[in-house]
């Protein structure tokens, strides 16, 4: 029997990753997909396949994860697997891999179903309709005798894409009068209709809202892998504020949280999440406007918590509800991979990527964030607003360094584009992800009015884009190539604002001027006028303390040439204002002290 | 399905908000997704309309005839469609935007496109004998009614905000002004208003109208004062957008046939009755948020589409 | 009796996906990208029932369900538009050069190659493994579509005559707490609807003139109805809600639409020349009893489409992932309808003609190929035919 190159792909990506209400849905969905991919890779390896992508150093990395909530869990595997088969029948290897994928999913699903506190909440007949019809699997292979790897890889990728053009599926086993999943409406709910007799344990595991409906995928994402909690977006949003609250004030509040309804508030494991030790609970606890939902989900009287929070916010004001969603993606990876000459090069490439994914975990952790996904060249994470820019920069630089060798092999500099969306934690999770992805797309592709200070076009890719999505307003977006140091500029502006060196309203006034000039034709005279107008506004402003207005003036002289560049500059200030808010929350201790 | 036309005329700045809007405005007004012109959604009208007729839950629950009519028109509790009322208002779309004018204080501005959209609506509703859409393809010209002495013209020029135009008198512009004035300011009591409208009506080039609908709304900076320090609370500064006073919008209201469970079924013959009862007299409404600062006072005038 | 309807929208139209929406069930509505056939059929049946002054008894409902409703499709400048075919991919060069349009083809599997496709189907490959496909227009004008179906020459470029999906109108509603005069905590809800008065033109820039950015559209539907239903459809002219949230639309019957629903002569001509390989493109989502696989194909993937006479052998498939459709039944059993899975519009099936003559397919232009008769009456799976 001859040798083959094999390519596999598993899904459903959308259902596992996009459809989610709670952060846990999202995180567990991504983990599920990775575990299923790992099971496929493991099966191929056991069948004698030589893994090319991913390319783990040892077989242990492909073993199923047991302590599933481990933030430092081993390999996060992308949903595509490439391997070389020697003297094996590809169709047999594929069938085994398919069975392994299904078995891995069933293990998660069965564990949930067999858990007595969940079983009672499930309509078994509907569960059974659905449970075997979740995993999607696609495979293609070509003969490969060791010569001309790029051609074989290209061909197998092409066949896999062609195979995936037929998204074959079974008809639904639909049932009348049963509500559909609230997450995506794709299947009927498996939850029983009556919930008033659910035990506290059942409620705590499923955390469904009144009227919320979950299908088999939704229940598994919500309840599989034990009760160990995952940091919520609200916890990440509240992080700057929590850092600003004095220990003496926080301790009594933590005590109330600890005793609240006997574990009704999820407590984070501080060994896994040492960065949240200061307040190891979900952020919901510090946002008053979430209490109604919290009460609904847990069925516990909210009053003691509400009283304790009031005592805290009377002294420390309210936590700001914004957080950042970071989406990073390697640039031109497809063309780069086509340049790899042999299996060895591709394996080294895979290893470099998985080293990057490992580093990404550490980088996100250092920046007090939570990682949803780091596999291949993709990263998805939530970060406190004050940390997102330095995290983005570190990811970008690390990517470049770790793939330096590969840049030579692939004859192009391998770079990372990063999109950061700053948005409200109450925005729908699906929206938060989309905001992040939009920013990432923007980071790769500058728009027409994204210009360098000299008025020329910005380069595609190797970029950073920051999108601010205020509730109510349309997005305020800024984008630059990494060489323009947008991250540094925003951080500096935010510092100035937080130090009171710039007046808060400056951004709006500059934006107003930009809008007024927008319809005018560009020209030298205009450049002069716009710059002068902007400087006039800066000149007449009185910053509250020892100012940075001179620096702003210099920046305007260097960077503002026309309405578009002024608008861009004003947008940078508007984004910096949101970061200022986070900085002020962190400094609250001193600010509060001054007030008193 | 029986229908009537309704007109909204803002008497104070009116803010009907939205999820997300444009630019750096924190609280923008709702806008049409295609034209990007401000609008007032039908859903914002329905509630205050019911309030105007005192259709409280309690009153709707009654056994008397009044309660039965209220139930029939506005539905009963909740928003379950099986209990929905028979009256369905559409969104109110922009027809005239008030714009500051060097002469005559302000102008009621439409555009060929705005009139074309109004024409399409009216024609589908069965209104006959509509004026033609005035042709205007020069960006620097503004049309005013030929049938009345314009209050806007200053030596053949019209100055709106910081833009200046060649003034051109036009019959179709006058026909439209006449028609709209009759609808928005009906009856003897409003005679002077009709004259004032004729004198201030103007048709702007489409591009200029589009520009003014984006920049010509009222944007107020609002602040929340910190109780302790008596200064602007950190981060509590926001811009709020409103439709300016004298904005004119139009929409339809239809009376549906409803199969009410436990209510009064509205059959075809009753539809006109419901409209006559609840969509005839001019209403002064309070639409959108910020009533405490005097926002959202709106006149609502109904007009028949027959004949 | 066949009637053609023209629908003129004003307010944005609500066509929801299957997620629960309403008090305590989710505060956020999601729209599908285009009106589902069943939404149009449901609204029209309600309208006809009301117009006839009938109650919605079982007998009335039965009559109404007999009506066949097809559509809706956008019409701009008097031309019908169809959803983009899946077997098209756009390559947009980095240097800003003109995008290349590629057509998918059945891939010949060479010795030793393989994939896990069902029933020995061949993969349909689109040139596209080494570039990220560029955006393609969502709606294609009938004459461009005809060319796509019968020739290899793509002598058209994507220009402003191609249209994009409707703008999405999302509105946040607050329920006001009368005591506080402010939004009640957690009582925000969002509706999503399709702006169906105009469709954005492909490739338009934000500062283009309005007419360059948008095409004014109307919608067209085809209704086959007999008896009292037919009598009420034929003279239709008035307003009635379409879709959810009772958004008013103007409906009227227009005889001159008939020709637009016919197979274009260029396609009919090609089909009459006894082609051996065919493509079937779904103009509306289809519901098959075999999921992705039409129930009229046997285990060997061989069979005859509904209403046709030739025998076809399935060779390849180019479809997107399934989507769900459900809805709310006012007839018994009252409540949420069972979920069904649809092959999305734009899906392409490749066939060989193994017996009989393909020319008859010109008569089946825009006729439904779904398996269940009621699904066909609801307008699911209207097919366009061409050669491969």
């Amino acid at each position: 029997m001859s040798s083959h190159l094999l390519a596999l792909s598993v899904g459903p990506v959308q259902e596992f990753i996009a459809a989610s209400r709670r952060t846990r849905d999202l995180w567990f969905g991504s983990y599920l997909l990775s575990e299923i991919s790992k099971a496929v890779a493991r099966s191929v390896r056991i069948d004698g396949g030589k893994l090319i992508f991913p390319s783990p150093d040892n077989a242990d990395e492909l073993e199923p994860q047991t302590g599933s909530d481990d933030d430092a869990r081993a390999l996060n595997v992308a949903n595509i697997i490439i391997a070389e088969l020697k003297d094996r029948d590809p169709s047999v290897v594929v069938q085994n891999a398919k069975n392994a994928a299904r078995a891995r999913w069933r293990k998660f699903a069965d564990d949930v179903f067999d858990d007595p506190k969940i079983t009672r909440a499930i309509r078994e007949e509907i569960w059974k309709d659905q449970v075997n019809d979740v995993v999607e699997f696609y495979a293609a292979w070509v003969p490969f005798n060791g010569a001309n790897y790029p051609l074989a890889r290209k061909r197998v990728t092409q066949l896999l894409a062609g195979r995936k053009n037929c998204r074959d599926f079974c008809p639904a086993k639909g049932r009348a009068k049963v509500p559909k999943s609230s997450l995506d409406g794709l299947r009927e709910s498996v939850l029983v209709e009556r919930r008033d007799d659910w035990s506290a344990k059942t409620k705590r595991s499923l955390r469904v809202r009144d009227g919320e409906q979950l299908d088999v995928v939704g229940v598994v994402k919500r309840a599989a892998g034990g009760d160990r909690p995952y940091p919520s977006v609200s916890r990440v949003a509240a992080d700057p504020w929590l850092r600003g609250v004095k220990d003496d004030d926080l301790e009594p509040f933590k005590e109330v949280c600890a005793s609240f309804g006997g574990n009704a508030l999820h407590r984070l494991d501080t060994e896994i999440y040492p960065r949240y030790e200061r307040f190891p609970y979900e952020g919901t606890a510090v946002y008053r406007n979430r209490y109604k939902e919290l009460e609904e989900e847990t069925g516990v009287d909210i009053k003691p918590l509400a009283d304790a929070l009031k005592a805290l916010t009377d002294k420390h004001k309210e936590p700001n509800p914004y957080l950042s969603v970071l989406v990073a993606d390697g640039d031109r990876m497809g063309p780069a991979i086509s340049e790899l000459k042999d299996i060895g090069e591709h394996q080294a490439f895979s290893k470099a990527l998985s080293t990057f994914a490992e580093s990404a975990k550490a980088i996100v952790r250092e920046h007090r964030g939570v990682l949803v996904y780091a596999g291949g060249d993709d990263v998805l994470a939530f970060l406190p607003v004050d940390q997102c820019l330095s995290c983005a920069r570190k990811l970008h630089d690390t990517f470049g360094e770790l793939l330096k060798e590969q840049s030579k092999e692939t004859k192009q500099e391998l770079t990372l584009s990063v999109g950061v969306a700053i948005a409200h934690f109450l925005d729908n999770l699906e929206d938060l992800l989309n905001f992040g992805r939009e920013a990432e797309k923007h980071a790769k592709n500058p728009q027409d009015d994204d210009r360098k200070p000299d008025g020329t076009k910005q380069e595609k890719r190797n970029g950073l884009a920051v999108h601010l999505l205020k509730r109510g307003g349309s997005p305020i977006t800024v984008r630059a190539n990494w060489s323009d140091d947008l991250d540094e500029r925003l951080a500096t502006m935010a510092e100035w604002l937080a130090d009171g060196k710039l007046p808060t309203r400056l951004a709006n006034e500059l934006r107003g001027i930009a809008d007024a000039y927008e319809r005018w034709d560009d020209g030298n005279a205009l450049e002069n006028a716009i710059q002068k107008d902007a400087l006039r506004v800066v000149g007449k402003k009185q910053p509250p303390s020892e100012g940075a207005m001179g620096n702003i003036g210099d920046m305007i002289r260097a960077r503002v040439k026309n309405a578009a560049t002024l608008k861009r500059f004003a947008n940078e200030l508007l984004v910096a204002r949101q970061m200022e808010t986070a900085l002020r929350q962190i400094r609250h201790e001193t600010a509060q002290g001054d007030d008193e | 399905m029986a229908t009537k036309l309704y007109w909204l005329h803002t008497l104070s700045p009116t803010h009907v908000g939205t999820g997300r809007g444009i630019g750096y405005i924190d609280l923008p007004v709702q806008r049409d997704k295609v034209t990007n012109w401000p609008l007032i959604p039908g859903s914002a009208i329905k509630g205050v309309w019911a309030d105007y007729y005192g259709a409280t839950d309690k009153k709707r629950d009654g056994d008397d005839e009044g309660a039965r009519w209220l139930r029939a028109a506005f539905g009963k509790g909740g928003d379950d469609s099986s209990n929905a009322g028979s009256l369905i208002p559409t969104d109110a779309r922009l027809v005239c935007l008030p714009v500051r004018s060097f002469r005559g204080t302000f102008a009621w501005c439409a555009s060929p496109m705005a009139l074309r959209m109004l024409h399409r609506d009216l024609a589908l509703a069965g209104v006959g004998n509509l004026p033609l859409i005035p042709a205007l393809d020069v960006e620097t010209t503004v049309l005013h009614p030929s049938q009345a002495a314009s209050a806007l013209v200053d030596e053949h020029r019209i100055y709106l905000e910081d833009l200046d135009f060649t003034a051109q008198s036009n019959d179709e512009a006058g026909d439209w002004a006449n028609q709209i004035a009759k609808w928005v300011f009906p009856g003897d009591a409003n005679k002077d208003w009709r004259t004032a409208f004729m004198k201030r009506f103007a048709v702007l080039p489409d591009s200029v109208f589009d520009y003014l609908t984006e920049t010509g709304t009222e944007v107020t900076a609002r602040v929340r004062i910190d109780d302790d320090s008596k200064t602007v609370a950190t981060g509590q500064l926001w811009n709020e957008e409103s439709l300016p006073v004298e904005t004119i919008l139009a929409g339809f209201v239809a009376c549906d046939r409803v199969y009410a469970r436990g209510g009064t079924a509205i059959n075809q013959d009753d539809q006109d009755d419901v409209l006559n009862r609840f969509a005839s007299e001019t209403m002064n409404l309070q639409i959108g948020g910020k009533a405490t600062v005097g926002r959202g006072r709106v006149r609502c005038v109904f007009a028949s589409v027959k004949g | 009796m066949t009637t053609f309807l023209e629908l003129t929208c004003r307010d944005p139209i609500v066509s929801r996906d299957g997620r629960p929406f309403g008090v305590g069930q989710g505060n956020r509505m999601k729209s599908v990208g285009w009106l589902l056939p069943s939404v149009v059929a449901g609204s029209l049946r309600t309208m006809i029932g009301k117009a006839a002054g009938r109650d919605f008894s079982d007998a009335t409902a039965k009559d109404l369900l007999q009506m066949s409703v097809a559509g809706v499709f956008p019409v701009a400048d008097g031309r019908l538009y169809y959803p983009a075919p899946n077997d098209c991919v756009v390559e947009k060069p980095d240097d800003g050069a003109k995008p290349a349009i590629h057509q998918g083809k059945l891939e010949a599997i060479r010795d030793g190659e393989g994939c896990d496709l069902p029933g020995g189907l061949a993969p349909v490959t689109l040139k596209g493994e080494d570039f990220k496909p560029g955006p393609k227009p969502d709606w294609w004008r009938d004459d461009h579509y005809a060319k796509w179906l019968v020739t290899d020459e793509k002598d058209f470029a994507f220009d402003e005559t191609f249209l994009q999906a409707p703008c999405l109108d999302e509105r946040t509603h607050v329920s006001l707490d009368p005591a506080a005069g402010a939004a009640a905590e957690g009582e925000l809800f969002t509706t999503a609807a399709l702006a169906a008065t105009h469709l954005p033109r492909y490739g338009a820039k934000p500062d283009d003139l309005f007419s360059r950015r948008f095409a004014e559209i109307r919608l067209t539907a085809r209704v086959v109805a007999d008896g009292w239903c037919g009598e009420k459809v034929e003279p239709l002219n008035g307003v009635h809600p379409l879709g959810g949230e009772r958004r008013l639309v103007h409906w009227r019957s227009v005889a001159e639409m008939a020709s637009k629903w016919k197979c274009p002569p260029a396609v009919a001509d090609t089909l009459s020349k006894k082609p051996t390989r065919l493509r079937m493109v779904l103009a509306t989502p289809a519901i098959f009893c075999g999921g992705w696989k039409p129930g009229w194909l046997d285990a060997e993937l061989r069979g005859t489409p509904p209403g046709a006479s030739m025998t076809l052998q399935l060779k390849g498939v180019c479809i997107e992932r399934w989507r769900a459709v459900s809805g709310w039944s006012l007839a018994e059993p009252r409540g949420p309808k069972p979920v069904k899975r649809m092959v999305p519009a734009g899906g392409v099936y490749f066939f060989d003609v193994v017996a009989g003559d393909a020319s008859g397919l010109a008569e089946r232009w825009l006729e439904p190929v779904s398996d269940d008769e009621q699904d066909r009456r609801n307008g699911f799976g209207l097919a366009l035919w061409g050669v491969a």
Side-chain angles (χ1 to χ4, degrees), chain A residues 138-150:
Chain A
Y138 309 98
W141 56 90
V142 296
F144 176 58
N145 61 9
N148 205 341
Y149 177 71

Side-chain angles (χ1 to χ4, degrees), chain C residues 66-146:
Chain C
Q66 293 291 319
M67 296 167 59
S68 290
V69 186
V72 287
F73 298 106
V75 177
D77 299 321
R79 308 293 290 263
L80 202 59
Y81 279 75
Y82 302 119
N86 280 356
D87 61 345
C88 168
V89 67
V90 177
E91 182 178 8
K92 211 175 168 196
D94 244 6
D95 55 11
K98 215 173 88 176
I101 303 171
H102 303 291
Q103 193 163 42
K105 59 177 187 352
L106 285 178
E107 190 67 43
I109 294 284
R110 301 170 201 154
D111 243 10
E113 293 181 342
C115 63
D116 66 335
L117 270 171
L121 293 179
V124 176
T125 53
L126 306 161
K127 190 176 180 299
E129 68 280 10
D130 275 349
F131 60 90
K132 279 192 184 152
K136 65 181 173 192
D138 299 311
W139 291 96
W140 297 24
R141 204 171 65 187
D142 47 14
D143 54 336
H144 294 136
Y145 223 99

Side-chain angles (χ1 to χ4, degrees), chain A residues 4 12 14-15 90 94 98 133-134 136-143 153-155 157-159 161-188 209-213 288-290 292 329-330 332 334-335 338 428 430-431 434 440 444 448 460-461 471, chain C residues 17-20 23-28 30 86 93-94 105 107-118 121-127 129-132 170 185-188 205 286 288-293 317-327 332-344 349:
Chain A
H4 292 88
Q14 272 299 103
E15 268 174 82
V94 163
K98 193 181 281 192
D133 183 25
V134 171
E136 291 171 9
F137 184 95
Y138 309 98
W141 56 90
V142 296
R153 195 206 56 82
K154 190 175 168 187
R155 176 70 181 160
T157 312
Q158 185 186 34
L159 286 186
R163 190 269 169 262
K164 283 175 76 174
N165 275 329
C166 176
R167 300 267 173 171
D168 49 318
F169 63 91
C170 304
K173 293 176 184 157
R175 283 168 191 263
K177 299 182 79 164
V178 181
K180 315 301 175 240
S181 155
S182 312
L183 298 186
D184 54 19
L186 291 183
R187 294 183 178 83
E188 269 92 12
R209 298 195 61 181
D210 283 353
E212 185 175 24
Q213 302 292 352
R288 197 184 316 280
N289 56 4
R290 302 322 296 146
K292 192 179 160 197
D329 185 50
R332 287 178 63 81
S338 349
N428 195 290
E430 209 175 327
D431 289 351
N434 284 336
E440 180 255 327
K444 283 188 189 292
D448 257 0
K460 283 193 170 192
R461 295 175 276 268
R471 286 200 128 189
Chain C
D17 72 0
R19 287 175 232 213
V23 180
Q25 292 196 300
N27 54 356
R28 186 187 158 88
K30 289 289 244 184
N86 280 356
D94 244 6
K105 59 177 187 352
E107 190 67 43
I109 294 284
R110 301 170 201 154
D111 243 10
E113 293 181 342
C115 63
D116 66 335
L117 270 171
L121 293 179
V124 176
T125 53
L126 306 161
K127 190 176 180 299
E129 68 280 10
D130 275 349
F131 60 90
K132 279 192 184 152
E170 286 204 321
E185 288 283 347
E187 299 289 304
L188 283 172
K205 302 234 161 40
F288 295 125
C289 59
W292 68 277
K293 185 175 84 78
V317 180
C318 187
I319 56 174
E320 287 175 11
R321 186 165 195 268
W322 59 272
R323 311 227 171 110
V325 57
S326 51
E332 288 302 329
R334 229 178 126 87
K337 289 183 189 169
V339 156
K340 289 184 179 185
R341 293 181 181 178
M342 309 180 287
V343 179
Y349 288 77

Side-chain angles (χ1 to χ4, degrees), chain B:
Chain B
M1 204 178 277
T3 53
K4 267 190 151 181
L5 184 59
Y6 77 88
W7 291 83
L8 297 181
H9 173 204
T10 60
L11 305 178
S12 70
T14 299
H15 172 83
V16 180
T18 170
R20 300 191 186 280
I22 54 159
Y24 60 101
I25 295 165
D26 301 310
L27 294 173
V29 296
Q30 186 89 53
R31 284 173 182 270
D32 183 280
K33 273 288 165 302
V34 171
T35 60
N36 206 28
W37 301 343
L39 62 78
I40 295 185
S43 57
I45 295 153
K46 189 155 185 211
V48 292
W49 188 5
D51 289 348
Y52 180 87
Y53 281 99
T56 56
D57 285 351
K58 201 176 156 202
K59 267 182 103 170
R60 282 186 241 201
D61 278 342
D63 272 339
D64 53 310
E65 177 163 351
R68 275 199 297 277
W69 279 111
L70 286 178
R71 275 204 298 277
F74 300 109
K76 184 172 171 298
D79 243 348
D80 183 351
S81 60
S82 57
N83 290 329
S86 55
L87 291 176
I88 311 175
T90 67
D91 295 344
R93 278 216 293 242
L94 184 64
V95 177
C96 294
L97 182 78
V99 178
R100 198 155 49 90
S101 169
F102 178 68
R103 289 268 167 210
T105 325
F106 75 93
W108 266 298
C109 298
S111 71
M113 175 83 165
L115 295 176
R116 205 172 299 125
M117 294 218 171
L118 179 64
H119 187 283
R120 174 159 123 159
D121 284 355
L122 293 167
L124 288 176
V127 182
N129 291 325
L130 287 166
L132 299 173
I133 307 298
L136 177 59
D137 39 27
V138 188
E139 291 241 339
T140 51
T141 297
V142 162
L143 308 179
H144 59 86
S146 57
Q147 297 89 328
S150 175
L152 311 171
V153 180
D154 181 57
E155 306 215 354
H156 309 293
R157 314 286 299 168
I158 289 179
Y159 302 93
L160 301 171
E161 295 287 352
D162 51 358
L163 312 163
D164 77 291
F165 301 93
T166 307
Q168 190 179 311
S169 89
N170 178 284
D171 293 347
E172 286 92 26
D175 294 341
W176 277 107
N178 208 353
Q179 186 70 266
I180 294 169
K182 276 189 203 154
W183 274 322
V184 184
F185 305 106
D188 285 346
N190 285 316
K191 194 160 166 283
D192 293 348
W193 275 102
R194 286 199 292 279
T195 312
F197 185 82
M198 285 295 282
K199 291 168 91 169
R200 283 182 178 74
F201 183 73
V203 180
L204 309 186
D206 285 324
S207 59
V208 177
F209 185 78
D210 286 353
Y211 170 66
L212 289 171
T213 56
E214 274 164 39
T215 57
T217 51
E218 234 184 74
V219 179
T220 350
R222 311 225 3 228
V223 292
R224 181 167 298 139
I225 301 298
D226 188 301
D227 284 343
D228 303 328
S229 64
K230 303 294 175 212
T231 57
V232 177
T234 309
Q236 298 296 326
L237 159 84
W238 73 96
N239 290 315
E240 180 183 288
E241 186 184 25
S242 301
L243 285 175
V245 183
E246 303 295 350
T247 306
I248 292 171
L249 310 99
F252 286 91
V253 49
C255 185
D256 195 5
R257 187 168 179 227
V258 182
Y259 300 81
R261 280 185 298 163
T264 309
I266 294 297
N267 293 314
Q268 237 142 3
D269 303 342
D270 302 323
Q271 292 181 12
D272 286 331
D273 283 352
V274 173
L275 285 177
N276 285 337
R277 196 173 274 258
F278 297 107
S280 292
E281 82 181 49
T282 297
M283 306 186 290
N284 282 313
L285 303 174
Q286 167 71 55
I287 292 181
K290 315 294 177 288
T292 48
V293 286
R295 303 269 152 147
R297 289 197 300 120
V298 173
R299 254 175 87 234
C300 176
V301 192
F302 292 98
S304 168
V305 292
K306 282 176 196 148

